[in-house]
Amino acid sequence: MRKKIKSALISVFYKDGIDTIAHQLHRLGITIYSTGGTEKFIKDIGVPCVPVESLTSFPSILGGRVKTLHPNVFGGILARRTEDQDVQQMKEYNIPEIDLVIVDLYPFEETLANTTDEKLIIEKIDVGGPSMIRAAAKNFSDVLVIAAKEEYRLLEDLLVAQEGETTLEQRKDFAAKAFEIVMHYDIAISNYFNASKPLRSIDYKFEQSLRYGENPHQQAVFYGDLKKIFTQLHGKEISYNNLVDIDAAINLIKEFSETTFAIIKHTNVCGIASRHTIKEAWTAALQGDPESAFGGVLICNGNIDKATAEAINEIFFEVLIAQHFDADAMQILRSKKNRILLLCRPYNMKSNQQVKSVANGILTQQNDEGNYIEWKETGGRETTALEKEDLTFANLVCKHLKSNAIALVKNKQLIGKGCGQTSRIDALRQSIEKAKQFNFDLNGAALASDAFFPFNDCVQIAHEEGIQSFIQPGGSIRDKDSIEYCVANNLAMVFTGMRHFRH
């Protein structure tokens, strides 16, 4: 099923790379049809080009909105060369066959990222381009479609290697890519008009095969452009598990404006602290659980200097993410060839939605944004200024632990945590045990719970260990039991009205 390309239609927004292709098409004696700026560009590089207007007998009208939407164009793309009726009608209406369609769509997403001007955004919704791509992809039996500039090099190689011939398998592969590209483009437009109900598409332009998935026997692929988020300065290839923890680390650190260092293990926070300097924040974060920090993902919201690098260099870790690395710090950290060092870029996530595959479908939900809806003092006394700082900090940390979760904080340092437990009281016991394991004094510590206390036993146990202030969403039918205990024992307790389950 090899077919010789005899004619091509080129209509692209960005002209980069088209010059080489146009010269190759001309070398092979292929007739080139084109439109507007693309036609001018091709002629300017010395390659003959037939204006589409000669096929349609219509100029480009309505400010360029209508150029190719015509039976003489779409007939040439969609005609089935093996159907007698199609061939007869093409002769009857003098419609030329079009064997190759090259389209680079208007940059809708790029425009959306750079302006809020609705008029400019709307004008970058391509109509003719997707229509030609779909038509050519539908008729892959006879037509080759190139739907994005990222495919130009593949086309160029094919033209050189096969002298303008294509196989059915090749045409079908390009058609499949074309439908993916149009799908992604249409979803981006749909999301602009339906911001409250955005859809998700996989960006196949950025496909990265991973060594394996969560476990070695599982295959895995990442779809997305990591370069928008960070630059890898050093280390081995990023793994599936690395990416999951990196995502958790980035989502955690963006919650904090003060100088903060955090350590992530299996998406849970095992150490975090805010201090005046990055070095101090690192030291305090590591103290929270130096055992679990082994092999973790480290992240901070500041600059890694030499002193901090020397301290970090003493432990084994998988990934370190920072906003900047001093040159002498890099020299130290590069001493281990496999360490992944990532320079984090300022980046606003496009979507406020989370997606998870379940059963035979998918679940979507809004991201868990914010810390608390209200600050309702319900205990035996008002929180002090220091307690309020620690409770606010603890509640953010607890939000990023797997449920059921408890976070114990003192002086903006995580000193104990319980996570992923099947009962809240077990999470509390785990957090207390962790704090004691590393010799922390729980007197005056603050406690955060990701969900309400179903009974007052958690408050009692925590109080017996010296904890004096609590923050929780409230909402239990037995809230009064915990409130009464706090009132009777002069303990501070805050209801936030905002649960932070994380599964």
Side-chain angles (χ1 to χ4, degrees):
M1 291 292 289
R2 278 182 175 254
K3 281 189 172 288
K4 183 80 173 178
I5 299 172
K6 298 177 182 177
S7 61
L9 173 58
I10 306 177
S11 180
V12 297
F13 188 86
Y14 289 117
K15 313 302 185 288
D16 309 14
I18 285 296
D19 52 348
T20 306
I21 290 172
H23 282 297
Q24 285 291 342
L25 294 174
H26 180 53
R27 178 184 68 81
L28 294 166
I30 296 169
T31 302
I32 300 175
Y33 299 97
S34 194
T35 62
T38 308
E39 175 199 345
K40 181 179 183 303
F41 175 83
I42 293 172
K43 286 180 176 178
D44 286 348
I45 61 173
V47 175
C49 182
V50 180
V52 166
E53 288 85 347
S54 68
L55 299 180
T56 64
S57 300
F58 264 92
S60 173
I61 61 172
L62 307 181
R65 283 189 165 197
V66 180
K67 295 189 286 283
T68 57
L69 296 169
H70 193 280
N72 282 5
V73 174
F74 280 84
I77 298 171
L78 283 165
R80 294 160 292 188
R81 277 55 159 177
T82 56
E83 293 284 334
D84 291 341
Q85 179 180 326
D86 288 12
V87 173
Q88 187 176 6
Q89 287 183 338
M90 290 182 74
K91 288 180 180 178
E92 180 181 353
Y93 296 107
N94 196 28
I95 299 173
E97 293 180 358
I98 296 174
D99 307 311
L100 169 63
V101 173
I102 304 174
V103 174
D104 178 43
L105 298 170
Y106 291 171
F108 177 80
E109 288 182 280
E110 183 180 322
T111 304
L112 192 60
N114 293 318
T115 185
T116 57
D117 187 324
E118 185 173 74
K119 184 176 180 181
L120 293 176
I121 293 168
I122 296 300
E123 287 308 311
K124 287 300 183 288
I125 298 176
D126 205 326
V127 177
S131 300
M132 288 190 290
I133 290 172
R134 290 176 64 86
K138 177 178 180 177
N139 200 24
F140 66 87
S141 292
D142 298 298
V143 180
L144 177 67
V145 58
I146 303 298
K149 58 182 182 291
E150 288 78 15
E151 308 292 323
Y152 292 172
R153 183 58 185 271
L154 294 174
L155 172 61
E156 184 184 340
D157 292 344
L158 187 151
L159 292 173
V160 172
Q162 297 177 197
E163 289 294 299
E165 289 189 346
T166 62
T167 67
L168 177 63
E169 183 181 7
Q170 288 168 339
R171 295 192 297 274
K172 193 170 185 178
D173 285 345
F174 277 105
K177 293 177 185 176
F179 281 121
E180 290 168 3
I181 289 165
V182 173
M183 174 191 70
H184 181 85
Y185 192 78
D186 286 342
I187 287 176
I189 295 168
S190 173
N191 287 346
Y192 172 70
F193 286 97
N194 298 282
S196 62
K197 297 186 295 181
L199 303 171
R200 246 334 147 83
S201 70
I202 293 176
D203 194 343
Y204 290 92
K205 291 184 292 183
F206 302 102
E207 178 180 319
Q208 178 182 339
S209 293
L210 304 175
R211 283 174 291 163
Y212 51 80
E214 200 161 9
N215 299 293
H217 64 277
Q218 295 172 270
Q219 294 183 343
V221 177
F222 174 73
Y223 296 98
D225 188 2
L226 292 174
K227 292 178 182 177
K228 288 183 178 179
I229 305 175
F230 51 72
T231 300
Q232 184 167 352
L233 303 176
H234 182 72
K236 64 183 179 181
E237 178 185 339
I238 296 173
S239 71
Y240 178 100
N241 290 331
N242 290 154
L243 279 172
V244 172
D245 281 342
I246 287 167
D247 179 68
I250 291 173
N251 283 308
L252 169 68
I253 205 70
K254 71 181 183 181
E255 304 270 19
F256 300 91
S257 56
E258 293 182 82
T259 301
T260 303
F261 217 119
I263 305 166
I264 302 293
K265 195 76 172 288
H266 297 298
T267 74
N268 283 303
V269 193
C270 60
I272 186 169
S274 293
R275 291 293 184 266
H276 294 297
T277 69
I278 285 291
K279 171 67 163 50
E280 292 171 341
W282 160 251
T283 301
L286 182 62
Q287 287 172 346
D289 190 346
E291 192 173 73
S292 296
F294 182 86
V297 169
L298 320 180
I299 190 167
C300 69
N301 56 6
N303 168 57
I304 300 293
D305 56 20
K306 182 181 179 182
T308 308
E310 287 174 338
I312 294 172
N313 199 47
E314 294 177 2
I315 75 162
F316 168 73
F317 62 89
E318 285 275 333
V319 183
L320 171 58
I321 310 165
Q323 293 180 355
H324 182 76
F325 294 84
D326 287 351
D328 49 5
M330 282 297 298
Q331 188 173 358
I332 294 167
L333 294 168
R334 281 182 171 143
S335 62
K336 304 293 184 183
K337 67 177 183 178
N338 287 331
R339 281 178 177 165
I340 297 169
L341 305 178
L342 302 178
L343 183 68
C344 196
R345 300 174 181 272
Y347 182 70
N348 292 321
M349 304 298 284
K350 286 184 179 179
S351 175
N352 66 345
Q353 296 283 312
Q354 296 175 354
V355 179
K356 181 184 289 188
S357 60
V358 294
N360 64 340
I362 61 170
L363 285 172
T364 69
Q365 67 171 353
Q366 290 179 316
N367 290 335
D368 183 4
E369 302 286 356
N371 193 350
Y372 49 84
I373 293 172
E374 61 179 352
W375 188 273
K376 186 177 179 182
E377 301 272 0
T378 60
R381 59 177 174 80
E382 295 284 306
T383 53
T384 66
L386 289 177
E387 285 175 334
K388 186 167 185 177
E389 287 184 353
D390 276 350
L391 288 171
T392 301
F393 186 97
N395 208 46
L396 285 174
V397 173
C398 198
K399 170 182 169 181
H400 291 268
L401 294 170
K402 291 289 181 71
S403 299
N404 288 305
I406 296 289
L408 304 180
V409 166
K410 194 172 182 180
N411 300 323
K412 296 182 184 176
Q413 176 190 28
L414 181 64
I415 62 172
K417 81 309 186 168
C419 51
Q421 299 302 303
T422 52
S423 74
R424 192 150 307 281
I425 198 163
D426 280 345
L428 174 60
R429 291 185 182 118
Q430 185 187 55
S431 68
I432 293 170
E433 182 182 337
K434 272 291 182 183
K436 289 181 176 181
Q437 180 183 353
F438 301 111
N439 301 313
F440 283 105
D441 181 6
L442 287 171
N443 284 296
L447 182 154
S449 174
D450 64 335
F452 62 65
F453 296 129
F455 308 102
N456 66 1
D457 49 3
C458 286
V459 178
Q460 290 184 42
I461 292 170
H463 177 221
E464 289 168 3
E465 297 293 340
I467 294 165
Q468 299 291 310
S469 58
F470 302 83
I471 188 168
Q472 57 142 320
S476 168
I477 58 172
R478 299 188 63 170
D479 275 345
K480 66 180 182 61
D481 294 353
S482 296
I483 292 172
E484 287 173 358
Y485 185 89
C486 288
V487 170
N489 291 277
N490 199 34
L491 304 176
M493 185 161 65
V494 173
F495 281 9
T496 66
M498 191 175 194
R499 191 178 71 186
H500 291 297
F501 270 166
R502 187 164 177 256
H503 295 101

